[in-house]
Amino acid sequence: MPSFNSIIVENIIESLDVGIMVISHEGKIVFLNSAACSILNLDMQKHLGFGWGELFITDATSNAEFNQVILDVINERKTGLKHIVPYQLKDQECPKKLSITSSYLTENEEVVGLVFLFEDVTEIYNAEERERKILSRNAELQNERIEGLDSLSQAVAHQVLNPTTVIGGMTNLISRKLPQEDPLQRELKIISEEAMKLEGLVAAVKTYSNIPKPYPSEINPKELFEEALHNANLILERIGERIEMKLDCSVEKITVGKKLFEVAVVELLLNASNFTPEKITDVRIEIERVKQTIQIRIIDHGMGIEPHVMNHVLDPFFSTKAKGVGMGLSRVKKIIFEHQGKLNIESEGSGKGTTVSIELPCPDADCCSSKKNH
């Protein structure tokens, strides 16, 4: 008569949704629970005692991945691993997706068999697959829209540039033919200046729409930011200004398109300088790995951003400066987007500085490493 404990164990095993199959060291199936029979379409009374090979290996191709998992466990002792494999039933058109986990069955420290756990994850797998397809299609649509807008921007810029150039050229020609004291000189000067502004706007749009796709490679972030600082200071030297940078980097490498990403960093450094009233702009850069992302923060102590302006700083053509067309941060945003990253700008208000945060994906767990691990 079975003991009370064995009855409890038997009932628990039978109530599980997870299939359990035990194979003896001779290769025979010595135990099946109801869930295993349901998942694998087996008959407990009929198939107990069968060799697993004669039951599952019917030809060279049927359920090959499923059979290989069992073979690896038997021949190479690859236990404790979780596998997701297809399992085709004869009366079903589409295969199931099964999760298989294995372990040893031991008695007196001797292996007497192998235990396999089967879980039908078909619904979960199909739901994830549908979600992947939706996300992939959304990404394709977004790229198509961006490419369409870029093409439209280039076409419009080209069509606007030609008449603008003619207007500016004809205005200068007329101005040279008129006496300097002629009253029309003032109006011609205004026309010429506005034509130049329009040419600058067209050039900015063309630059924005022509931002190339990055060609990522592993880059030393310290070298990249130091080179970006050097290039930014070359520009600022012309007006007697410079940036001093404090770099706190715990990451040895990042994966970016070097030249393209450096353009974005230079733009952010120049932007920090533009909104700092002092001749010397102090900027702190923090680079660290957080989980599977690279976090970059560019922190200045300049004029900050007013709350009512914050929602528009990344909009194309928005600028609080008297000169400029307001495309700098829009270019940075697009470059970061092309790197599958995120850009965020924070400021507590006027006079309280600004923090620009960049989040980049890490391709894999070993794409970058922290000094703390050395």
Side-chain angles (χ1 to χ4, degrees):
M1 183 176 180
S3 67
F4 183 69
N5 287 343
S6 65
I7 293 174
I8 292 175
V9 172
E10 184 178 339
N11 277 272
I12 290 173
I13 290 175
E14 280 302 306
S15 65
L16 292 175
D17 292 330
V18 177
I20 302 175
M21 178 175 71
V22 180
I23 298 176
S24 70
H25 64 276
E26 297 172 345
K28 294 185 177 181
I29 299 172
V30 295
F31 179 84
L32 290 167
N33 70 343
S34 297
C37 293
S38 176
I39 292 170
L40 302 174
N41 197 26
L42 300 178
D43 185 313
M44 191 180 302
Q45 301 299 324
K46 180 179 178 181
H47 294 125
L48 274 178
F50 266 67
W52 80 270
E54 61 181 307
L55 190 59
F56 292 109
I57 304 178
T58 55
D59 56 58
T61 57
S62 295
N63 295 321
E65 291 182 54
F66 174 89
N67 294 330
Q68 189 62 51
V69 171
I70 299 178
L71 281 170
D72 287 344
V73 174
I74 294 173
N75 297 331
E76 301 181 27
R77 301 295 179 93
K78 292 183 178 181
T79 61
L81 301 177
K82 187 174 183 178
H83 303 269
I84 306 293
V85 298
Y87 184 77
Q88 181 70 58
L89 297 176
K90 292 181 180 179
D91 57 346
Q92 290 186 0
E93 183 177 350
C94 297
K96 293 181 176 183
K97 283 290 180 178
L98 301 186
S99 169
I100 307 176
T101 309
S102 59
S103 63
Y104 293 120
L105 182 66
T106 61
E107 184 177 26
N108 297 326
E109 298 184 356
E110 290 187 11
V111 177
V112 296
L114 295 166
V115 180
F116 292 89
L117 304 181
F118 303 100
E119 187 176 1
D120 189 343
V121 294
T122 306
E123 290 186 11
I124 297 172
Y125 179 87
N126 289 341
E128 291 176 347
E129 190 65 22
R130 285 193 297 270
E131 185 176 356
R132 279 194 292 268
K133 288 180 179 178
I134 291 171
L135 291 174
S136 176
R137 182 53 183 157
N138 286 342
E140 288 176 6
L141 291 172
Q142 188 174 21
N143 287 333
E144 287 174 7
R145 284 194 291 266
I146 291 172
E147 289 173 2
L149 287 172
D150 285 348
S151 298
L152 178 62
S153 299
Q154 292 182 46
V156 171
H158 179 74
Q159 294 301 319
V160 171
L161 182 61
N162 289 338
T164 302
T165 304
V166 172
I167 291 170
M170 293 300 294
T171 301
N172 292 331
L173 180 62
I174 295 170
S175 176
R176 287 196 298 271
K177 289 187 176 183
L178 291 176
Q180 288 298 317
E181 64 274 9
D182 194 299
L184 285 176
Q185 288 287 4
R186 179 176 177 274
E187 284 75 10
L188 289 172
K189 183 179 179 182
I190 293 173
I191 294 172
S192 179
E193 288 175 350
E194 293 304 314
M196 289 180 65
K197 287 182 183 178
L198 192 53
E199 286 181 19
L201 180 65
V202 170
V205 170
K206 290 184 72 175
T207 300
Y208 177 84
S209 60
N210 285 328
I211 290 174
K213 298 286 184 184
Y215 293 94
S217 60
E218 289 185 351
I219 303 295
N220 183 314
K222 285 187 178 181
E223 294 177 0
L224 187 149
F225 273 83
E226 286 169 358
E227 188 171 336
L229 175 67
H230 174 73
N231 292 334
N233 278 333
L234 286 178
I235 297 170
L236 292 173
E237 279 178 6
R238 303 169 190 168
I239 55 174
E241 297 181 4
R242 77 172 188 272
I243 298 170
E244 293 187 353
M245 181 179 73
K246 181 181 179 182
L247 181 60
D248 181 11
C249 179
S250 60
V251 171
E252 290 189 347
K253 55 187 177 179
I254 58 176
T255 303
V256 295
K258 183 179 183 296
K259 290 184 178 180
L260 190 59
F261 197 79
E262 188 180 305
V263 168
V265 175
V266 170
E267 186 69 49
L268 291 173
L269 292 174
L270 292 175
N271 200 66
S273 177
N274 288 337
F275 288 94
T276 300
E278 292 80 13
K279 292 290 185 180
I280 298 176
T281 301
D282 292 319
V283 175
R284 187 169 83 254
I285 312 290
E286 298 175 353
I287 308 173
E288 63 178 339
R289 180 179 173 185
V290 179
K291 296 181 180 178
Q292 295 301 309
T293 64
I294 302 297
Q295 300 287 338
I296 301 171
R297 285 179 292 277
I298 302 174
I299 305 164
D300 68 61
H301 304 285
M303 297 163 58
I305 303 172
E306 296 282 2
H308 68 278
V309 173
M310 182 63 73
N311 291 334
H312 305 288
V313 292
L314 295 176
D315 293 347
F317 310 118
F318 178 82
S319 178
T320 58
K321 296 183 289 185
K323 295 184 178 180
V325 295
M327 289 294 290
L329 289 178
S330 295
R331 283 196 297 271
V332 172
K333 182 181 178 181
K334 187 176 182 184
I335 290 171
I336 301 304
F337 175 82
E338 293 291 352
H339 285 83
Q340 286 80 52
K342 297 177 183 178
L343 177 69
N344 185 51
I345 298 178
E346 297 175 323
S347 177
E348 294 184 3
S350 179
K352 296 184 178 180
T354 302
T355 298
V356 178
S357 300
I358 299 171
E359 179 182 301
L360 296 174
C362 199
D364 55 62
D366 299 320
C367 73
C368 54
S369 59
S370 171
K371 288 181 179 179
K372 295 179 182 179
N373 294 331
H374 293 275

